Amino acid sequence: MKEKFRVYGERTPKATERELFNRKLSKIAAEEGIVLLKNEGVLPLQGETVALFGNGARLTVKGGSGSGDVHERYSVNVEDGLKNNGISVVTSPWLERFSAEYEHDKKDYVDRVEKAIKGYKVWNVMAMFQKIGEFKLAYPTGDKITKDDLVKADVAMYVIARQAGEGDDRKLEKGDYLLSDLEKKNIDLLARTYRKVILVINAGSIIDIAPIEHEVQAIVYLGQPGEEGGNALGEIVSGKVSPSGKLTDTWGMTYADYPTAAFRQDEKLEEYYYEGIYVGYRYFEAKGHRPLYPFGYGLSYTTFNTAYQSLEVDGSSVRLRAKVTNVGAKAGKEVAELYLARPNRKLPGEKKFLVAYKKTKVLQPGEEEEVTLVFDLAKVGAYDEKESRFFLEEGSYGLYLGGDVLEAKPVAVLLLKEDIVTEIVSKSCPKKRDFVDLALSTAKDDYEGLPVFEVEKFQPITHSYDYPLPQVSPKVQHYLDTLSNKELARLAMGGGFFSKHFIRVPGAAGNTTSRLLQKGIPPIIMSDGPAGINLLQNGAVTRSGMTRYIGSLPEQWQWGWLKKWGPKLKFLYAKDKDIKIYQYCTAWPNATLLAMSWNDDLLFEVGKAVGTEMRAMGVTLWLAPALNIHRDPLCGRNFEYYSEDPLISGHMARSITMGVQSVGGVGVTIKHFACNNRENNRTEVNSNLSERALREIYLRGFRIALEARPWALMSSYNRINGVYAADNRDLLVKILRNEWGYEGLVMSDWDGADHSKYESVLRNGNNMIMPGRKEVYQKLLAAIKDGRLDRKTLLYSAAYALNLIFAAATSQGF
């Protein structure tokens, strides 16, 4: 091999056709996910002037922080998006004052941090950045609106923005989940001044707007809309596009309406999932709580009628046909939602749950479309913990069709004359602590007069619990036969952060080893997600392979002595002869907003665009999509996840996975497996839950996503019933490999294997310890030497790793 290293990315900062195409698609994705929650004849705007206020007007949040961040070329805020769509904004003085005060606060934050790190020197740079991490720049909740700010305008718009991110949960406090006093006063003043007030919610997850919901005439949930969010909102409110997004979470009247409000353990390390399967709308319906906005809800500028047409049952497959007609005066899209109600006599259960959905094309006034909603009865059984089986009990199963979970009405009945066992499994991840799941009785609707379809008994799915080596090519088999145990250990861990890597992608989150290049085994590069590829915008590589920077150090490094001496350290910066690398990646809408499109085909296209970008940048594995359940509205990472419902979570992740991997040579990493439902103390928390809740709610989405055969899967930080996910054989072997037949690589989250012995992690199904470092390798060698880590275990890890490595586009030519 003659190459010393490889570099990808662009060689000039000019925007590529790919980048421009992705910008357009990002806007479309945002438009389809934006949800119109309320509209009393205010929207769409018809040439009215707008008095624009709120922290999100200029400081629009395009996405969450942490691994889900993206360094795009630029983003469009709400103010500019309105103006770009011909909407006149008449409150520039207030907006300028807000910007000035934010810059003042930011400067004060910087001054406080610089004072705290003044004594840190070159040799304790890591400690300096740990100290910096103790400080937080508070996200502003806005500036007071005075009577002088109340300029003449036809409509007032107030944008409430919230930011959240990895490593910390949201708080049940004013200015976070709750509105601040200032926000309430501002909105109240606008409501008393203007006849029409539009509230825009620019947040990755739910906030409590019930106290002011009655004061405004229109509410738009913008979510975190990516780099084109302002333009997408502008097209929605101007009427160029009719909103078609639907909620993928239940918005309660208060936080107390959610089951986790009663069961929440906050900072405690033992988290009990007392609510069992009753998550989101399952809980609200069973308890009889009326939400502010139900799951599946979203308004349009037109009106639709969804009518049942016919139903077919073939074995376990159910196909319902419905006709969706636009009976309003404007064009738009609609989502047909199908729910199933089980008898719930032998096991208590939810009133009904989502089993299928379909989004229409744009329908003109009077136009109709027939949609087919398909689901498999073999995959919707209740889990019987005593018998370790999924089953459908005999009785009547109501099928509900409509536009949201409350609006859906029964249209047909499936009749089972005897119990049907759908799948026989092995008891896994049993509870270690004594507690009982919540059990709620649910009143059933009257199905009299509805068409009835009898379901014939079908055979259950069964499993073998052998764990053979995966199928490999002759090339991979050669390496498995000839590599030493020490060399195999290199493939059982990542390549680390600080060593030289054969493929140079500035800002990448991880890689596999470059120490086997002479053997003909290249590394692959991994990048964070899930709102896009998280890389540095620009960098350079010298002819000898050293990384350099163009112009200045990355902004996040400009602190303390680095900020002072950085410009003078000439060796850090690129020279004319160095290879320049430009990586302007697309910032997509956050995962929840993408899911609110309810459009599988659109998610495929977004995935395909991400995959194309990955190939251009030299990235093989995208550390996304993430699909943990929105168990609690206060989870700080909900913006990275899709929904409270496992079906829509699984479908969205499956679609985006298929899109990415359709490009060829690149793959995704499904995460965080499993029960990563809070961020505080995430590396130590123990998720205590029943096997039924685990299988019906928290694992189901992953199982659906794995139908797309993702290249990799990442285990989570937390414990599940006392066992760390990275070291959990029941989870990673019995369920994932034996029952689900997963054939891809399993990796730990970054340092997520550190609570366990590394050889145990490998034995129990985690094939790659990430990100990898010298200490990990030394401990693996010690385990090999004293017999705690055998060759067979190393071969499992190597086989999965090599299969992936040689499938990568960046490995072609080796």
Side-chain angles (χ1 to χ4, degrees):
M1 185 190 62
K2 297 180 180 179
E3 296 173 286
K4 290 183 179 179
F5 56 84
R6 286 184 180 178
V7 293
Y8 290 81
E10 305 301 327
R11 296 299 179 265
T12 75
K14 182 180 179 181
T16 63
E17 290 297 320
R18 180 191 66 255
E19 184 183 347
L20 297 176
F21 174 84
N22 286 0
R23 288 193 70 85
K24 293 178 182 177
L25 183 58
S26 181
K27 179 164 69 69
I28 292 170
E31 289 168 354
E32 288 227 12
I34 292 171
V35 182
L36 181 60
L37 296 174
K38 181 178 182 178
N39 188 23
E40 296 179 346
V42 177
L43 295 173
L45 299 178
Q46 303 292 327
E48 293 97 328
T49 55
V50 174
L52 179 63
F53 302 96
N55 60 338
R58 281 193 172 172
L59 209 58
T60 308
V61 178
K62 51 89 178 178
S65 61
S67 65
D69 199 5
V70 180
H71 305 288
E72 72 282 5
R73 189 181 295 270
Y74 66 90
S75 290
V76 180
N77 65 21
V78 168
E79 180 188 15
D80 289 339
L82 297 180
K83 291 178 178 179
N84 291 343
N85 282 278
I87 298 170
S88 178
V89 175
V90 295
T91 43
S92 293
W94 187 92
L95 295 167
E96 290 295 337
R97 189 170 79 240
F98 169 80
S99 296
E101 292 196 4
Y102 176 68
E103 290 303 319
H104 177 272
D105 292 344
K106 187 175 180 181
K107 182 180 183 304
D108 179 65
Y109 160 77
V110 171
D111 290 344
R112 286 187 291 113
V113 175
E114 289 291 350
K115 183 178 180 180
I117 63 174
K118 188 174 181 180
Y120 288 85
K121 306 298 181 184
V122 176
W123 51 86
N124 51 13
V125 64
M126 295 301 293
M128 183 179 80
F129 277 99
Q130 288 175 355
K131 186 67 177 178
I132 293 168
E134 296 175 7
F135 292 80
K136 302 292 183 184
L137 175 60
Y139 203 83
T141 54
D143 190 28
K144 182 179 180 181
I145 301 173
T146 68
K147 290 185 179 179
D148 292 337
D149 297 317
L150 300 174
V151 298
K152 184 178 180 180
D154 300 309
V155 179
M157 180 183 289
Y158 197 89
V159 187
I160 297 176
R162 294 289 189 269
Q163 181 57 288
E166 181 180 9
D168 191 21
D169 285 320
R170 297 176 61 201
K171 295 175 176 57
L172 190 63
E173 296 176 356
K174 294 176 180 179
D176 192 344
Y177 185 80
L178 306 175
L179 298 178
S180 70
D181 290 337
L182 178 61
E183 288 170 331
K184 287 182 180 179
K185 289 178 181 178
N186 283 343
I187 293 169
D188 180 65
L189 178 60
L190 295 179
R192 287 186 283 109
T193 305
Y194 297 94
R195 190 168 59 87
K196 299 178 180 179
V197 180
I198 303 167
L199 177 66
V200 176
I201 304 166
N202 173 212
S205 187
I206 300 167
I207 62 174
D208 183 6
I209 60 170
I212 51 84
E213 193 266 352
H214 65 284
E215 294 191 79
V216 300
Q217 287 69 52
I219 303 175
V220 180
Y221 182 35
L222 176 61
Q224 293 175 338
E227 63 185 48
E228 280 286 319
N231 285 334
L233 180 68
E235 295 205 357
I236 291 285
V237 299
S238 67
K240 295 177 182 177
V241 175
S242 181
S244 62
K246 304 278 188 176
L247 292 178
T248 56
D249 292 303
T250 305
W251 286 49
M253 292 289 188
T254 70
Y255 179 70
D257 287 342
Y258 296 94
T260 46
F263 306 142
R264 188 170 174 79
Q265 285 85 48
D266 295 318
E267 302 289 329
K268 294 181 181 178
L269 297 183
E270 297 295 334
E271 183 87 3
Y272 289 89
Y273 289 44
Y274 290 115
E275 72 277 10
I277 66 167
Y278 297 103
V279 177
Y281 68 87
R282 288 167 163 83
Y283 180 77
F284 277 76
E285 284 213 294
K287 289 289 286 186
H289 288 334
R290 183 79 185 183
L292 183 63
Y293 302 115
F295 175 86
Y297 171 82
L299 301 176
S300 173
Y301 293 153
T302 190
T303 307
F304 297 95
N305 178 61
T306 302
Y308 166 80
Q309 297 295 293
S310 64
L311 188 134
E312 297 175 7
V313 180
D314 183 7
S316 65
S317 177
V318 179
R319 301 173 67 87
L320 184 147
R321 291 183 177 85
K323 182 169 67 176
V324 181
T325 306
N326 183 348
V327 295
K330 296 182 181 295
K333 293 185 175 184
E334 174 65 320
V335 179
E337 303 171 25
L338 184 64
Y339 297 84
L340 180 71
R342 294 184 289 220
N344 296 336
R345 290 192 296 270
K346 296 183 179 179
L347 283 179
E350 59 274 83
K351 184 174 181 179
K352 58 181 177 290
F353 60 98
L354 185 70
V355 290
Y357 61 89
K358 181 67 176 179
K359 192 166 194 175
T360 68
K361 65 180 181 179
V362 175
L363 298 177
Q364 299 300 320
E367 188 177 7
E368 61 186 41
E369 179 180 346
E370 185 177 276
V371 297
T372 303
L373 302 165
V374 182
F375 70 97
D376 188 350
L377 280 167
K379 297 178 180 179
V380 298
Y383 185 68
D384 180 353
E385 292 187 6
K386 292 181 180 179
E387 301 294 335
S388 296
R389 64 180 189 176
F390 290 90
F391 80 108
L392 299 165
E393 64 173 294
E394 58 86 20
S396 297
Y397 289 70
L399 288 166
Y400 291 69
L401 180 67
D404 65 59
V405 70
L406 295 184
E407 189 268 341
K409 298 296 186 291
V411 294
V413 178
L414 301 175
L415 179 63
L416 275 65
K417 292 187 175 180
E418 60 180 317
D419 288 357
I420 299 177
V421 176
T422 60
E423 185 176 9
I424 300 170
V425 297
S426 174
K427 189 173 186 63
S428 301
C429 301
K431 289 192 300 187
K432 302 292 178 62
R433 295 175 179 267
D434 187 22
F435 65 95
V436 178
D437 280 6
L438 181 69
L440 298 172
S441 60
T442 54
K444 292 300 174 185
D445 291 319
D446 183 6
Y447 300 143
E448 187 176 352
L450 297 178
V452 178
F453 298 83
E454 186 172 337
V455 177
E456 299 291 337
K457 191 169 186 177
F458 50 86
Q459 292 301 307
I461 301 168
T462 59
H463 305 284
S464 167
Y465 288 87
D466 294 333
Y467 185 26
L469 279 168
Q471 291 186 339
V472 298
S473 66
K475 183 176 185 177
V476 170
Q477 188 62 55
H478 166 75
Y479 285 116
L480 297 179
D481 292 339
T482 59
L483 290 176
S484 68
N485 286 348
K486 290 182 178 181
E487 291 168 329
L488 291 174
R490 293 283 185 192
L491 292 168
M493 55 180 278
F497 281 127
F498 301 110
S499 57
K500 285 187 176 182
H501 307 302
F502 176 71
I503 299 175
R504 308 299 165 86
V505 181
N511 54 85
T512 58
T513 183
S514 292
R515 293 178 179 269
L516 298 176
L517 279 172
Q518 299 307 316
K519 294 279 187 174
I521 301 174
I524 58 169
I525 299 296
M526 307 170 193
S527 172
D528 270 326
I533 306 173
N534 191 347
L535 303 174
L536 291 179
Q537 285 187 344
N538 57 66
V541 176
T542 68
R543 299 297 173 180
S544 62
M546 302 300 293
T547 300
R548 295 290 183 262
Y549 300 98
I550 300 174
S552 64
L553 292 175
E555 183 179 356
Q556 64 268 31
W557 291 9
Q558 295 187 30
W559 294 100
W561 64 268
L562 271 170
K563 181 178 181 179
K564 180 179 179 180
W565 295 104
K568 300 177 182 180
L569 303 176
K570 301 300 183 184
F571 66 89
L572 291 176
Y573 303 104
K575 296 180 172 58
D576 290 342
K577 63 182 179 180
D578 295 335
I579 305 169
K580 310 296 192 303
I581 306 171
Y582 297 92
Q583 303 173 132
Y584 290 99
C585 299
T586 309
W588 302 95
N590 72 303
T592 307
L593 184 58
L594 289 175
M596 290 190 303
S597 73
W598 292 66
N599 190 335
D600 292 16
D601 294 337
L602 176 63
L603 269 285
F604 177 90
E605 293 302 323
V606 170
K608 186 176 179 181
V610 171
T612 302
E613 202 166 81
M614 290 169 65
R615 281 195 66 135
M617 304 300 177
V619 173
T620 292
L621 274 184
W622 190 32
L623 303 178
L627 65 151
N628 293 102
I629 293 297
H630 292 175
R631 174 180 179 245
D632 187 339
L634 298 184
C635 176
R637 219 163 172 179
N638 277 352
F639 69 93
E640 288 197 19
Y641 308 143
Y642 296 110
S643 175
E644 66 189 22
D645 182 76
L647 181 89
I648 194 135
S649 298
H651 275 238
M652 294 296 136
R654 181 179 67 186
S655 296
I656 211 163
T657 295
M658 292 170 64
V660 170
Q661 296 183 177
S662 72
V663 174
V666 294
V668 309
T669 308
I670 298 288
K671 64 180 188 182
H672 307 89
F673 194 60
C675 301
N676 191 144
N677 304 113
R678 84 177 209 198
E679 286 297 290
N680 290 343
N681 297 314
R682 61 180 179 168
T683 63
E684 300 174 75
V685 68
N686 184 24
S687 299
N688 294 285
L689 73 167
S690 66
E691 190 179 357
R692 182 184 180 192
L694 177 68
R695 287 183 177 273
E696 287 191 32
I697 303 296
Y698 298 97
L699 295 187
R700 189 176 177 219
F702 285 98
R703 188 173 192 176
I704 294 168
L706 291 185
E707 294 170 4
R709 305 183 69 181
W711 283 17
L713 176 143
M714 182 189 294
S715 59
S716 55
Y717 283 120
N718 53 286
R719 292 173 289 162
I720 301 171
N721 289 328
V723 183
Y724 274 102
D727 195 21
N728 196 320
R729 189 173 183 84
D730 277 8
L731 185 70
L732 302 181
V733 178
K734 286 174 67 176
I735 294 175
L736 183 66
R737 299 289 190 194
N738 300 150
E739 293 177 9
W740 298 356
Y742 179 59
E743 298 177 338
L745 174 82
V746 177
M747 67 173 72
S748 73
D749 206 333
W750 269 227
D751 299 323
D754 286 358
H755 286 280
S756 305
K757 294 184 181 298
Y758 296 129
E759 65 273 15
S760 175
V761 167
L762 297 179
R763 282 199 304 270
N764 287 324
N766 216 313
N767 314 125
M768 187 173 287
I769 299 164
M770 293 301 297
R773 57 184 189 275
K774 185 177 181 180
E775 174 194 357
V776 175
Y777 185 62
Q778 290 174 337
K779 289 188 175 182
L780 290 179
L781 293 185
I784 292 169
K785 185 175 181 179
D786 64 19
R788 288 177 290 120
L789 180 56
D790 60 16
R791 185 174 178 84
K792 183 179 180 181
T793 300
L794 290 167
L795 288 173
Y796 274 104
S797 294
Y800 289 114
L802 290 170
N803 276 348
L804 192 155
I805 288 168
F806 286 114
T810 56
S811 296
Q812 303 313 305
F814 276 80

